[in-house]
Amino acid sequence: MSAKTTQFSTELRGQYNAMAYAADGAKSPLAPTLIPRRDPGENDVQIEILFCGICHTDLHIVRNEWSAVRTVYPCVPGHEIVGRVTKVGSGVTKFKPGDLAAVGCLVDSDGNCHECQTGFEQFCPHMTLTYNSPDVHLGGITYGGYSDSIVVKEHFVLRVPSNLNLAGAAPLLCAGITTYSPMRHWDVTQSKKIGVVGLGGLGHMAVKFGHAFGAHVVVFTTSPNKKEDALRLGADEVVISRNTDEMNKHVNSFDFILDAVSAEHDINSYLRLLHQDGNLTLVGKPEKPFAVAAVNLTFNRRSLSGSNIGGIAETQEMLDFCGKNNITADVEVIPIQRVNEAYDRLSKADVKYRFSIDMASLKS
Ligand SMILES: [Zn+2]
Ligand SMILES: [Zn+2]
C-alpha cells in the first residue's frame, strides 16, 4: 500500500491465534502455522471460514511474481472467502452469529474519499487488501482466507444467499465480481452479442453471467476441446480464435468483449470484431504491454478499457443476483493439505474452473 497508510496508528487490542497456511518465502511451499487475528471490535464481524477459493493472484503473490507488489512473508493468501459468523461487535447491525457471510479482496478503505463515497472502494487510494496489506489493527500485514477464521469490519462483509453451494460461492468474491462488474457497466443485456476471450476461472463466470443476462454469448478459445464445455456453461457459439475464416465471420458484430486472458495475445484481432461504439474490457493482466493499431479504435468509435473487481454494494448485488439465478463457480474442492499441488496445476491451467479449499480440513 501507499506510504499514506502509516498515518493510522496501531490500536492496542486483544488478539487470538488462528490456524492458517502460510508461505515463508517465494520458493517455500504453503505450510500450516498460527497467525494472530484481532478480537472483534465494535464494528467487526468474526467469521469461521468454511471455503476459500484459489485465485491466480494468490499464486502470483505467494511466489512474489508481480514487480508492482512486494510480498511480505509469512504470506497467508486467499480473498474468496465464505463462512459463518461466530461473533459480532456491539455496533454491528447486518449480521448475527450463525449467519452466512463472505469476504472478497478488500477488508477496509478510508470511507471518505470520492471513490468510497460513490461505492468504488476498490479504487480507494487507502484501501486495505484482504492479504499482504499493512494491518492497521495489529501491525504487520493482513492475512487472507487460507485460515479457520477472520475478523473484518462489517462494511466489508457480504451476505451470502442461503441456496448457494458454498464451495462454489467462494470464487464469486473475486472471479465473480471481476466479470460481473464490467458486464453491468457496459450494459450487457438481452439481445446484446458479447464475446468472452479465454475460458478459465474468470471466463467461465463471464459465460454464466452473459447467459443469465440473456445475451448471445460467443466464447473465443484456442482449444477446440473446450467447445463442449463452453456450450454446457451457457455459450451460444464457440469460435476457435486461431481460425482466421471463423474470426472474419464476426467482424463488426459485437457489442462487448470481455478479455480474460493473462498470457500474451493479439487484441487487435478482437477489437476488429466490435461494431459501432463497441467495447473491449480487459480483466486479465498480461505482463507485456499491448500493441494496439489505432485504426482498430477509430473505426466504429470502438473503445478499449479495463476493470478491477467491484465495490462493496455491487459485490452484494452480484451475490444476490447469483442467489436468484442459482449461479456459482464450477469448482474442484480440495483439502488444504493439497494446496501446493493445486498451485502447480493452476500454473498449468489444469483446473475446471476454480479450486475451492474445504477449510474443515485445516483441523484434521
Ligand atoms: Zn482474485
Ligand atoms: Zn476511500
Side-chain angles (χ1 to χ4, degrees):
M1 283 289 87
S2 67
K4 278 260 187 160
T5 47
T6 54
Q7 71 186 304
F8 299 104
S9 61
T10 301
E11 295 165 32
L12 283 174
R13 182 177 284 180
Q15 60 186 61
Y16 67 97
N17 281 333
M19 296 167 81
Y21 259 54
D24 279 329
K27 300 213 166 8
S28 312
L30 290 151
T33 189
L34 291 176
I35 54 164
R37 297 286 194 195
R38 68 180 186 266
D39 288 333
E42 192 183 347
N43 299 306
D44 286 336
V45 178
Q46 184 187 48
I47 299 163
E48 177 195 8
I49 300 174
L50 300 176
F51 291 95
C52 186
I54 300 181
C55 176
H56 223 115
T57 299
D58 299 352
L59 186 140
H60 289 303
I61 297 291
V62 161
R63 296 183 177 173
N64 201 12
E65 287 173 344
W66 276 343
S67 44
V69 186
R70 186 177 63 96
T71 305
V72 179
Y73 297 97
C75 173
V76 178
H79 58 205
E80 296 182 335
I81 299 166
V82 166
R84 204 171 281 284
V85 175
T86 44
K87 207 187 257 187
V88 298
S90 58
V92 170
T93 57
K94 285 190 301 180
F95 296 93
K96 58 180 192 313
D99 287 350
L100 291 173
V103 178
C105 303
L106 306 173
V107 290
D108 209 351
S109 67
D110 60 23
N112 52 35
C113 70
H114 177 260
E115 284 73 20
C116 287
Q117 301 266 307
T118 50
F120 294 94
E121 295 91 344
Q122 78 272 31
F123 303 135
C124 174
H126 305 130
M127 66 177 165
T128 303
L129 296 170
T130 304
Y131 64 90
N132 201 48
S133 258
D135 184 333
V136 299
H137 302 281
L138 296 179
I141 53 150
T142 52
Y143 295 123
Y146 296 12
S147 173
D148 60 354
S149 82
I150 192 166
V151 177
V152 177
K153 195 193 256 188
E154 179 183 25
H155 180 72
F156 293 85
V157 182
L158 290 312
R159 294 181 306 278
V160 180
S162 58
N163 59 311
L164 293 180
N165 171 279
L166 294 183
L172 298 176
L173 278 300
C174 180
I177 187 61
T178 298
T179 49
Y180 179 92
S181 180
M183 292 174 91
R184 276 296 196 219
H185 178 73
W186 292 99
D187 198 29
V188 173
T189 49
Q190 205 143 22
S191 80
K192 298 281 176 79
K193 180 177 175 182
I194 70 147
V196 176
V197 187
L199 194 64
L202 295 174
H204 98 290
M205 288 310 310
V207 172
K208 290 187 184 206
F209 285 133
H211 181 74
F213 295 152
H216 182 88
V217 182
V218 180
V219 166
F220 296 96
T221 176
T222 52
S223 337
N225 58 16
K226 284 193 176 171
K227 185 167 180 172
E228 267 187 34
D229 224 24
L231 296 172
R232 176 186 65 80
L233 292 165
D236 298 286
E237 282 180 74
V238 180
V239 172
I240 306 306
S241 52
R242 292 192 224 270
N243 185 325
T244 314
D245 290 342
E246 244 186 281
M247 290 290 277
N248 283 340
K249 280 185 207 154
H250 293 272
V251 168
N252 301 332
S253 69
F254 280 85
D255 294 282
F256 173 77
I257 297 175
L258 190 88
D259 185 338
V261 175
S262 286
E264 202 181 324
H265 62 294
D266 177 24
I267 53 168
N268 292 288
S269 55
Y270 297 107
L271 288 170
R272 290 168 59 240
L273 307 187
L274 296 168
H275 66 43
Q276 188 193 313
D277 293 317
N279 169 270
L280 186 150
T281 291
L282 304 169
V283 289
K285 298 187 192 94
E287 280 277 350
K288 206 175 154 198
F290 283 114
V292 178
V295 67
N296 285 330
L297 294 174
T298 56
F299 186 72
N300 271 345
R301 198 167 59 185
R302 297 165 178 138
S303 65
L304 169 63
S305 61
S307 189
N308 190 34
I309 52 173
I312 295 301
E314 192 175 44
T315 304
Q316 188 62 62
E317 176 195 308
M318 179 272 309
L319 285 168
D320 294 343
F321 180 85
C322 289
K324 279 193 197 90
N325 295 278
N326 208 21
I327 293 173
T328 52
D330 282 24
V331 290
E332 182 178 332
V333 180
I334 59 158
I336 188 94
Q337 290 78 8
R338 282 180 51 207
V339 69
N340 295 302
E341 177 194 329
Y343 272 32
D344 288 339
R345 284 182 50 200
L346 182 60
S347 62
K348 295 174 204 139
D350 174 23
V351 58
K352 282 185 177 170
Y353 283 89
R354 208 70 157 173
F355 288 109
S356 186
I357 307 169
D358 181 352
M359 220 44 81
S361 61
L362 201 49
K363 296 176 182 81
S364 65

